[in-house]
């Protein structure tokens, strides 16, 4: 089997920017696809990458911010049914559970997010089920809330192609954000999710063949006038490219791909600008993520 990682969307933040689109990644193992996150334009990017929804096996949500789940339900709503090689077999969806400490109205976890979308689009779903040979949509989305204690590593999915584990990573003020490690016959891929510099990511990425890590450059946001308070918030919840290099070096990762990039617009920070910040701290190969970048794992 061949394992590939396709960076479907590589932009940070919910607000659309030129040049890159919402955060999403596909791990493709022997033709079977596993998604990590589903930000805006994920479905279009998935199809543009030449991937078939018939081959989608599972989705792993790092956290429930909109730029990571805006098209989670859209994958199913628009990509379901036998036409155009759509989804006809159950797909597992893993992600954080609800936050009982949220001070506002009870916030949905992954299971409730899916259930709420099924209700919200119930009229459309019912019509399509009555007028076509599509299987019932609710039966195709097997959502599961995850709870991962700080410092623990949880096996969340295992089949004949991959073994996936998760760790909690710091992305305040969210109670739970997750990074994931995919182990395949061809090698290991780790995804940081959105996080401040974290030993948890280093543990997920230990001896990994590829680490896909978010990166946010604080100098850019300082230069456009962000307040000290907002800069402190970004530093507490995201990772500078220099610290990505430090994490990768300590973990022994063999290659790094920068993604979930802030600023997202390539005109604001060039590829060389990103690389120049990582190289002093990491001697291995580094690639700057662009939408639809396709990377082979191992070999």
């Amino acid at each position: 089997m061949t394992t590939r990682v396709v960076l479907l969307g590589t932009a940070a933040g919910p607000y659309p920017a030129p040049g890159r689109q919402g955060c999403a990644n596909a791990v493709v193992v022997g033709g079977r696809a596993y998604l990590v996150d589903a930000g805006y334009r994920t479905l279009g990017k998935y199809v543009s990458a030449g991937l078939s929804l018939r081959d989608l096996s599972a989705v792993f949500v790092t956290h429930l911010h909109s730029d990571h789940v805006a098209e989670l339900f859209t994958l199913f709503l628009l990509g379901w049914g036998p036409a155009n090689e759509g989804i006809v077999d159950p797909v597992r969806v893993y992600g954080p559970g609800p936050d009982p400490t949220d001070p506002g109205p009870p916030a949905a976890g992954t299971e409730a997010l899916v259930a709420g979308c099924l209700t919200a689009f119930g009229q459309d779903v019912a019509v399509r089920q009555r007028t076509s040979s599509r299987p019932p949509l609710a039966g195709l989305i097997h959502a599961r809330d995850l709870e991962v204690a700080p410092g623990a590593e949880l096996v969340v999915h295992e089949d004949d192609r991959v073994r996936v584990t998760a760790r909690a990573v710091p992305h305040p003020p969210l109670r739970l954000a997750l990074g994931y490690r995919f182990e395949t016959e061809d090698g290991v891929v780790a995804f940081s999710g959105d996080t401040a510099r974290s030993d948890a990511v280093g543990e997920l990425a230990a001896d990994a063949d590829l680490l896909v890590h978010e990166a946010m450059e604080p100098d850019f946001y300082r230069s456009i006038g962000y307040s000290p308070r907002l800069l402190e918030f970004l530093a507490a919840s995201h990772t500078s490219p220099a610290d990505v290099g430090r994490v990768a070096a300590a973990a022994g990762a063999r290659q790094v791909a920068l993604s979930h990039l802030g600023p997202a617009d390539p005109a604001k920070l060039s590829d060389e600008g990103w690389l120049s910040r990582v190289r002093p701290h990491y001697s291995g190969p580094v690639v700057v993520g662009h939408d639809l970048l396709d990377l082979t794992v191992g070999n």
Side-chain angles (χ1 to χ4, degrees):
M1 291 187 293
T2 299
T3 299
R4 301 155 46 215
V5 173
V6 186
L7 307 183
L8 299 175
T10 53
Y15 193 80
R20 291 185 173 92
Q21 293 177 329
C23 186
N25 309 275
V27 181
V28 186
V29 188
R32 189 180 298 167
Y34 305 82
L35 276 184
V36 179
D37 287 332
Y40 65 90
R41 288 296 312 277
T42 292
L43 180 57
K45 293 289 185 177
Y46 186 98
V47 173
S48 295
L51 301 175
S52 170
L53 286 164
R54 185 69 55 85
D55 297 324
L56 180 61
S57 183
V59 183
F60 300 84
V61 175
T62 62
H63 62 293
L64 297 173
H65 276 160
S66 56
D67 53 321
H68 293 256
V69 295
E71 287 210 2
L72 174 61
F73 191 70
T74 303
L75 290 168
F76 299 93
L77 186 67
L78 301 184
W80 142 63
N84 301 315
E85 294 292 307
I87 297 169
V88 293
D89 295 313
V91 175
R92 298 186 182 275
V93 178
Y94 304 94
D99 182 357
T101 68
D102 196 302
T110 303
E111 292 177 11
L113 175 65
V114 169
C117 288
L118 283 166
T119 298
F121 288 94
Q123 186 175 128
D124 176 84
V125 170
V127 167
R128 296 185 190 282
Q129 286 177 180
R130 286 200 306 268
T131 58
S132 73
S133 59
R134 302 172 193 232
L137 182 57
L140 297 181
I141 313 173
H142 290 191
R144 176 186 164 195
D145 286 345
L146 300 177
E147 291 297 331
V148 184
E153 187 162 345
L154 177 70
V155 178
V156 298
H157 179 89
E158 191 164 9
D159 61 30
D160 62 332
R161 306 288 173 92
V162 298
R163 180 177 187 267
V164 184
T165 57
R167 282 184 178 269
V169 297
H171 188 49
L174 289 184
R175 180 184 66 92
L176 181 61
L178 299 170
Y180 292 101
R181 176 184 176 96
F182 287 69
E183 298 174 358
T184 77
E185 289 183 3
D186 298 305
V188 173
V189 183
F191 294 89
S192 71
D194 280 16
T195 181
R197 179 179 175 179
S198 171
D199 290 340
V201 175
E203 290 159 350
L204 285 171
D207 298 319
D209 295 274
L210 175 65
L211 168 60
V212 180
H213 204 300
E214 71 124 74
M216 187 165 288
E217 177 46 62
D219 287 346
F220 168 76
Y221 295 99
R222 191 174 295 110
S223 72
I224 62 173
Y226 272 33
S227 68
R229 181 179 180 183
L230 188 48
L231 290 169
E232 288 175 8
F233 166 75
L234 292 178
S237 55
H238 294 285
T239 308
S240 71
D243 276 345
V244 173
R246 295 182 179 102
V247 169
R254 296 177 180 85
Q255 183 179 16
V256 172
L258 303 179
S259 191
H260 190 273
L261 295 170
D265 184 353
K268 305 296 185 184
L269 186 59
S270 68
D271 285 8
E272 183 54 39
W274 287 108
L275 294 172
S276 68
R277 290 160 167 80
V278 179
R279 285 184 183 131
H281 310 284
Y282 174 72
S283 60
V286 184
V287 294
V288 178
H290 289 274
D291 294 6
L292 299 180
L293 178 65
D294 195 324
L295 303 168
T296 300
V297 177
N299 303 322

